Amino acid sequence: MELSISQPHCLRFSSSSPRFLAASHHHHHRPSVHLAGKLLGRSQDVGFTSLPSSYMRSKFVSTNYRKISIRASSQAGAAGSDPVLDKIARFQNACWRFLRPHTIRGTALGSTALVARALIENTHLIKWSLVLKALSGLLALICGNGYIVGINQIYDIGIDKVNKPYLPIAAGDLSVQSAWLLVIFFAVAGLTVVGFNFGPFITCLYSLGLFLGTIYSVPPFRMKRYPVAAFLIIATVRGFLLNFGVYHATRAALGLSFQWSAPVAFITSFVTLFALVIAITKDLPDVEGDRKFQISTLATKLGVRNIAFLGSGLLLVNYISAISLAFYMPQVFRGSLMIPAHMILAACLIFQTWVLEKANYTKEAIAGYYRFIWNLFYAEYLLFPFF
């Protein structure tokens, strides 16, 4: 969903293609609609095999991303489009990438699944008036998500130029001033929506999430420098706070006091451990930049291979626990779905880990593995209402 140049579709330039490189150097003023359209249509990072270092690869991606943007806009201008509309479209695109769409999908799917489960448990209390409240809650969660990932990008510009040069600030597509205005807007809008619609308790939980997201990225705290603290913050915000808060707010909207149900307790525990795995594995593609800027992570200390195996092992514990629960609590969980679903997901995880091993932990393979972890995360939430 991010408009970026990234991993799954690799465009490779080898040293045996001098004519292409020469053409790029001597005729860079000529617009290339076909190439720009192809590259901008892809959604992940580009890998290069013949550049001398990863740093040069990142610089090349960032520089050519801006060149492609300029070429595309010049073509649009030549076609007679409105320059103001083009500028607005570019800003909208930068804002969307600034939000880190893969995290929004996780937030949206998680909140939707928890609301659906609460409604399934209390179908007699469903009212159409709840739809607007649910949508306002989703908006607040997206704003909170935008604030947390946005403040992180503001304070990680140098690191992102090495690790994620396609992000809008690092790529020069969004100014720091505009980024600050966006994160302030997200924080204020989110708190306002929650305060007016969900009462003081949920507002306190929401504020706690924003606070944890702030100290994760902002000096002098910058807790992301400390692996254990960073893992706990991510697991707490994306795991416990999201699930507990959404379920609590939904029951309150239905006129019910809070009470844990076995399925909600399961998904909260499952996703909290899953969020810990995401926190561990998210550093795998970023080892180079983290070392350069002296960010201490488990990946920089223990190595990519060890952390990948650790992440996969923890997820397998999750899946085995889910299968065991379905066996021992058939009156609570739908074992006919829960058992085979988790067996299939576990098998896919093992296969993906094997693929990563066979690829010898290249940057593209690591990115594919991390993306797959997120897909497993989405899959759990998609299946949860039916367990």
Side-chain angles (χ1 to χ4, degrees):
M1 294 295 293
E2 296 183 68
L3 184 53
S4 59
I5 309 173
S6 59
Q7 294 93 348
H9 305 286
C10 295
L11 178 63
R12 300 181 180 272
F13 299 97
S14 68
S15 55
S16 62
S17 305
R19 284 182 297 174
F20 177 83
L21 295 175
S24 298
H25 179 73
H26 294 296
H27 302 287
H28 63 275
H29 63 281
R30 296 183 181 178
S32 177
V33 180
H34 180 68
L35 177 59
K38 274 197 166 187
L39 288 177
L40 291 176
R42 305 298 175 101
S43 65
Q44 309 290 334
D45 227 311
V46 176
F48 294 85
T49 58
S50 61
L51 296 178
S53 69
S54 297
Y55 177 76
M56 291 304 295
R57 288 199 299 270
S58 299
K59 292 291 288 181
F60 193 93
V61 171
S62 180
T63 303
N64 281 274
Y65 181 88
R66 289 193 292 271
K67 287 181 180 179
I68 291 166
S69 299
I70 294 169
R71 290 177 183 178
S73 61
S74 67
Q75 284 294 316
S81 61
D82 190 334
V84 175
L85 294 178
D86 290 342
K87 188 174 182 179
I88 292 172
R90 287 195 299 271
F91 180 73
Q92 288 176 336
N93 172 263
C95 290
W96 178 241
R97 287 184 287 130
F98 184 66
L99 285 171
R100 305 306 306 278
H102 69 283
T103 64
I104 290 181
R105 285 193 292 272
T107 299
L109 283 172
S111 58
T112 302
L114 267 295
V115 170
R117 188 72 207 193
L119 295 179
I120 289 171
E121 294 171 351
N122 303 278
T123 54
H124 59 289
L125 296 176
I126 297 176
K127 297 179 291 186
W128 281 108
S129 59
L130 295 173
V131 174
L132 184 60
K133 196 159 192 174
L135 290 175
S136 67
L138 179 59
L139 175 63
L141 288 171
I142 291 174
C143 286
N145 190 98
Y147 170 82
I148 292 172
V149 299
I151 202 80
N152 185 62
Q153 289 175 67
I154 290 173
Y155 284 97
D156 273 6
I157 297 174
I159 300 174
D160 287 341
K161 285 182 178 180
V162 177
N163 292 335
K164 303 180 182 77
Y166 51 84
L167 291 179
I169 304 178
D173 299 327
L174 187 70
S175 68
V176 175
Q177 182 181 12
S178 297
W180 270 113
L181 291 175
L182 286 172
V183 297
I184 292 170
F185 169 77
F186 290 145
V188 172
L191 283 169
T192 302
V193 170
V194 172
F196 276 103
N197 290 280
F198 297 99
F201 180 69
I202 296 299
T203 303
C204 288
L205 288 181
Y206 189 86
S207 301
L208 175 61
L210 296 184
F211 171 74
L212 291 174
T214 301
I215 65 173
Y216 176 83
S217 300
V218 177
F221 307 103
R222 200 153 169 79
M223 304 305 290
K224 68 181 296 178
R225 293 176 298 173
Y226 312 105
V228 174
F231 300 156
L232 291 176
I233 287 174
I234 294 173
T236 300
V237 173
R238 186 158 290 282
F240 178 76
L241 285 181
L242 175 65
N243 290 273
F244 171 71
V246 169
Y247 189 65
H248 189 290
T250 305
R251 285 187 65 89
L254 293 172
L256 302 171
S257 60
F258 179 78
Q259 181 180 350
W260 284 107
S261 69
V264 173
F266 156 72
I267 195 65
T268 301
S269 303
F270 187 99
V271 172
T272 299
L273 181 56
F274 210 123
L276 181 63
V277 172
I278 288 175
I280 293 171
T281 57
K282 80 176 185 62
D283 296 320
L284 293 179
D286 300 339
V287 169
E288 182 187 357
D290 289 340
R291 284 175 177 159
K292 181 178 179 180
F293 288 87
Q294 299 180 336
I295 299 293
S296 176
T297 68
L298 285 184
T300 59
K301 289 182 174 182
L302 302 180
V304 171
R305 184 176 187 270
N306 291 332
I307 296 305
F309 274 92
L310 175 62
S312 295
L314 290 174
L315 288 185
L316 286 176
V317 170
N318 244 358
Y319 289 133
I320 292 170
S321 300
I323 293 168
S324 301
L325 275 176
F327 268 119
Y328 287 107
M329 302 179 70
Q331 71 280 9
V332 175
F333 298 103
R334 190 174 298 168
S336 59
L337 173 62
M338 191 166 173
I339 293 171
H342 286 102
M343 290 178 68
I344 292 170
L345 293 175
C348 291
L349 172 64
I350 292 171
F351 176 74
Q352 189 66 32
T353 308
W354 176 81
V355 169
L356 180 62
E357 176 78 10
K358 284 295 182 182
N360 201 27
Y361 300 89
T362 63
K363 192 167 186 177
E364 292 82 3
I366 292 170
Y369 172 79
Y370 180 61
R371 240 180 356 262
F372 183 77
I373 296 297
W374 271 100
N375 288 336
L376 292 177
F377 186 77
Y378 304 148
E380 192 66 28
Y381 271 132
L382 285 171
L383 291 169
F384 170 65
F386 307 102
F387 288 156

